[in-house]
Amino acid sequence: MLLRVQCFGASRLWCGADELELDIPAATPTVGDAEQTLAERFPNFAAQRQRMAYALGDSVVASTHRLHGNDTLVLIPPVSGG
Amino acid sequence: MTHLVEGPVRVEHYLGKVPPECGAMTVFAGTVRCLHLGREVTGIHYHAYVPLAEKRLQELESDTARRFGVHCRLVHATGELVVGQVSVLVLAYGPHRQETFEACRYAIDTLKQTVPIWKEERFANGASAFVDGSPLSTILAG
């Protein structure tokens, strides 16, 4: 499945773009499958994956959440507001 | 109500009329500091994932108000700020000072862990770098 991914904070540097398209080798992948594909494609992301969170729209989603073709997965690296 | 503003937070815009039942107003304003880990900082670019940041700030206002029995208002800057400008504002109004002090501390500490905002520091030598923060906490529901 081809998934649109939006990168925030330092994940832009780890993945080399603000937005990208990710080809995930599964018909109905989960967020965890997307994370695995990102880790295989971007070594700098792989080093940080334990500290990541993910969102769809205004909701945080778990690694077991199933993705659909029109979703945009948002990468939320460690936050530093204030 | 919007919680994210473009550019620095103008504190005076939010210091409105205090509700009559309140005897205390505590204000916390975070500002851009000129030094971080020994490096000279000239400014910070604040990045936000707006849909979730707005939702989390709204939830945190409600959570703080409920937890401490106060009125709470949170405003955070986005975009480029220079040293000395206000990046975040926490207002707490309540009957007595103790709960407004505690509410302010709780709100800013929780904001730093739960709201998807990132600091990208600008250094005097022209370089920039994202501040290493905290993994997003799920203290707040949603």
Side-chain angles (χ1 to χ4, degrees), chain B:
Chain B
M1 196 181 294
T2 300
H3 302 87
L4 296 170
V5 296
E6 178 67 29
V9 179
R10 299 184 181 281
V11 175
E12 66 276 14
H13 286 193
Y14 300 94
L15 300 178
K17 193 175 177 183
V18 179
E21 73 275 15
C22 295
M25 174 178 68
T26 298
V27 181
F28 171 80
T31 59
V32 177
R33 192 174 54 227
C34 68
L35 204 63
H36 181 60
L37 298 177
R39 297 185 75 178
E40 187 182 347
V41 173
T42 57
I44 296 179
H45 188 121
Y46 286 86
H47 303 260
Y49 175 48
V50 173
L52 183 57
E54 280 286 357
K55 182 181 174 186
R56 285 284 174 99
L57 288 165
Q58 176 64 56
E59 289 172 347
L60 181 55
E61 276 184 352
S62 301
D63 179 49
T64 304
R66 190 171 51 249
R67 198 178 279 256
F68 296 94
V70 299
H71 300 274
C72 180
R73 183 78 169 95
L74 302 173
V75 186
H76 203 296
T78 62
E80 292 286 347
L81 272 66
V82 298
V83 170
Q85 291 185 316
V86 175
S87 58
V88 62
L89 175 67
V90 180
L91 286 177
Y93 305 95
H96 306 289
R97 66 185 182 282
Q98 183 173 340
E99 55 264 33
T100 62
F101 281 131
E102 290 173 359
C104 261
R105 177 179 284 276
Y106 171 79
I108 187 63
D109 289 350
T110 307
L111 181 154
K112 284 174 167 286
Q113 300 172 55
T114 59
V115 181
I117 295 175
W118 298 271
K119 289 187 184 91
E120 185 179 13
E121 291 181 321
R122 310 295 194 199
F123 300 111
N125 66 0
S128 64
F130 283 98
V131 172
D132 187 32
S134 307
L136 189 74
S137 168
T138 52
I139 293 170
L140 296 171

Side-chain angles (χ1 to χ4, degrees), chain A residues 44-63:
Chain A
N44 290 337
F45 173 87
Q48 301 288 337
R49 63 188 291 186
Q50 300 301 325
R51 305 176 73 213
M52 292 295 298
Y54 302 93
L56 292 172
D58 66 1
S59 297
V60 174
V61 288
S63 62

Side-chain angles (χ1 to χ4, degrees), chain A:
Chain A
M1 190 184 88
L2 207 56
L3 179 73
R4 189 163 169 256
V5 176
Q6 206 174 357
C7 308
F8 279 88
S11 70
R12 291 177 172 175
L13 307 177
W14 306 334
C15 298
D18 294 353
E19 291 189 10
L20 57 97
E21 281 196 332
L22 193 66
D23 194 2
I24 307 171
T28 55
T30 63
V31 170
D33 293 328
E35 181 185 79
Q36 178 61 30
T37 306
L38 284 163
E40 289 167 3
R41 188 165 153 189
F42 303 109
N44 290 337
F45 173 87
Q48 301 288 337
R49 63 188 291 186
Q50 300 301 325
R51 305 176 73 213
M52 292 295 298
Y54 302 93
L56 292 172
D58 66 1
S59 297
V60 174
V61 288
S63 62
T64 53
H65 185 92
R66 207 157 283 286
L67 295 163
H68 302 283
N70 58 350
D71 285 339
T72 297
L73 184 67
V74 178
L75 307 190
I76 311 279
V79 297
S80 55

